[in-house]
């Protein structure tokens, strides 16, 4: 027993009719492909199996749901940003995600992972807009902060925060664990859990 969140894969949904029952509380993770979303989920939950499951072939375009406690779920939204995906795939993705944000009553928080060296992209902004429209609080995890010096990371965080007008921005590194504890506290608060035990 190493701590962290007990978690189990519930289902991967390619359309809304496969979503689990919309009760209890859940927190979603969104991010461009390669932004460090899986690593962030693993670092925050202390469970490496979680995000690996949703990277298995066939699951990358699904919304993947994990149970982390009684009627509490983590939701791994499909990554975005592959330049060459076909227009119909992009459209399916958009429909699925838009549906998820507009309908999901149990959604209580959204993490968006943004690579600190790339900055906010158009689709990141769309995720934040959809979350805001659904009145779901969001936090941006500015990932791979270890790639920059401390002062450069701080500057990036401040610049982005100034542009986002109120959305909290957290410098984050799965590698050196920068920001992991505050992200855990945020997750626990959104899910109504008292704490998430430290663990890796
Ligand atoms: P995803 O596609 O958004 O789920 O991204 P992954 O978590 O798979 O990470 C994409 C790449 O970024 C991998 O090569 C990771 O090793 C790397 N990466 C993820 N998090 C960090 C981090 O905190 N620091 C560094 N230096 N690299 C990271």
């Amino acid at each position: 027993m190493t701590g962290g969140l007990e978690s189990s894969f519930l289902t991967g949904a390619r359309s809304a009719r496969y979503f689990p029952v919309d009760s209890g509380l859940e927190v979603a993770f969104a991010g461009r492909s390669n932004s460090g979303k899986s690593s962030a989920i693993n670092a925050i939950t202390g469970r490496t199996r979680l995000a690996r499951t949703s990277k298995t072939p066939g699951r990358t375009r699904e919304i993947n749901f994990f149970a982390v406690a009684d009627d509490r779920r983590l939701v791994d939204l499909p990554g975005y940003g592959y330049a060459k995906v076909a227009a119909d795939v992009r459209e399916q993705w958009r429909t699925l995600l838009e549906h998820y944000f507009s309908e999901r009553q149990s959604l209580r928080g959204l993490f968006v992972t943004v690579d600190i060296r790339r900055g906010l992209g158009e689709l990141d902004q769309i995720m934040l807009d959809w979350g805001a429209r659904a009145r779901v609080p969001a936090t941006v995890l500015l990932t791979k902060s270890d790639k920059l010096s401390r002062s450069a990371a701080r500057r990036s965080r401040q610049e982005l925060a100034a542009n986002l007008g109120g959305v909290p921005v957290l410098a984050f590194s799965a590698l050196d664990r920068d920001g992991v504890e505050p992200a855990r506290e945020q997750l626990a608060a959104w899910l109504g859990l008292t704490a998430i035990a430290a663990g890796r």
Side-chain angles (χ1 to χ4, degrees):
M1 182 68 210
T2 53
L5 274 179
E6 283 306 324
S7 46
S8 58
F9 179 64
L10 280 175
T11 191
R14 207 167 267 220
S15 72
R17 77 191 132 109
Y18 299 113
F19 292 171
V21 173
D22 193 2
S23 67
L25 307 174
E26 65 191 33
V27 167
F29 287 77
R32 177 199 285 267
S33 308
N34 220 36
S35 65
K37 174 164 60 83
S38 310
S39 304
I41 293 174
N42 291 335
I44 292 167
T45 60
R47 284 282 175 272
T48 50
R49 230 184 58 222
L50 231 68
R52 205 185 301 141
T53 307
S54 49
K55 285 205 142 185
T56 53
R59 294 221 178 275
T60 52
R61 276 195 249 145
E62 298 178 341
I63 296 185
N64 288 289
F65 294 83
F66 300 87
V68 293
D70 205 21
D71 235 4
R72 304 287 195 277
R73 290 172 300 275
L74 287 194
V75 184
D76 188 357
L77 301 176
Y80 42 86
Y82 282 119
K84 290 208 191 322
V85 292
D88 61 330
V89 172
R90 241 186 348 250
E91 198 45 44
Q92 274 168 23
W93 174 88
R94 199 186 164 94
T95 305
L96 179 65
L97 271 281
E98 200 164 15
H99 193 95
Y100 175 77
F101 277 102
S102 63
E103 300 291 322
R104 200 71 182 162
Q105 297 297 319
S106 49
L107 178 61
R108 291 307 152 84
L110 169 68
F111 285 111
V112 179
T113 53
V114 174
D115 188 321
I116 198 164
R117 297 162 306 172
R118 296 193 69 139
L120 200 78
E122 191 192 341
L123 286 166
D124 299 319
Q125 186 63 64
I126 289 174
M127 294 296 108
L128 291 170
D129 290 345
W130 286 348
R133 208 182 300 160
R135 299 184 189 284
V136 173
T139 290
V140 170
L141 300 178
L142 215 40
T143 59
K144 312 186 194 180
S145 68
D146 57 277
K147 297 268 191 189
L148 297 185
S149 70
R150 276 195 178 275
S151 60
R154 191 180 324 116
R155 230 176 8 257
S156 295
R157 192 184 68 72
Q158 285 166 347
E159 273 170 27
L160 183 56
N163 286 334
L164 283 178
V167 176
V169 180
L170 198 58
F172 189 92
S173 166
L175 201 71
D176 68 12
R177 310 195 58 79
D178 185 22
V180 169
E181 276 313 313
R184 269 194 178 149
E185 282 165 22
Q186 182 62 84
L187 175 67
W190 280 337
L191 288 178
L193 302 171
T194 44
I196 296 167
R200 349 186 23 142

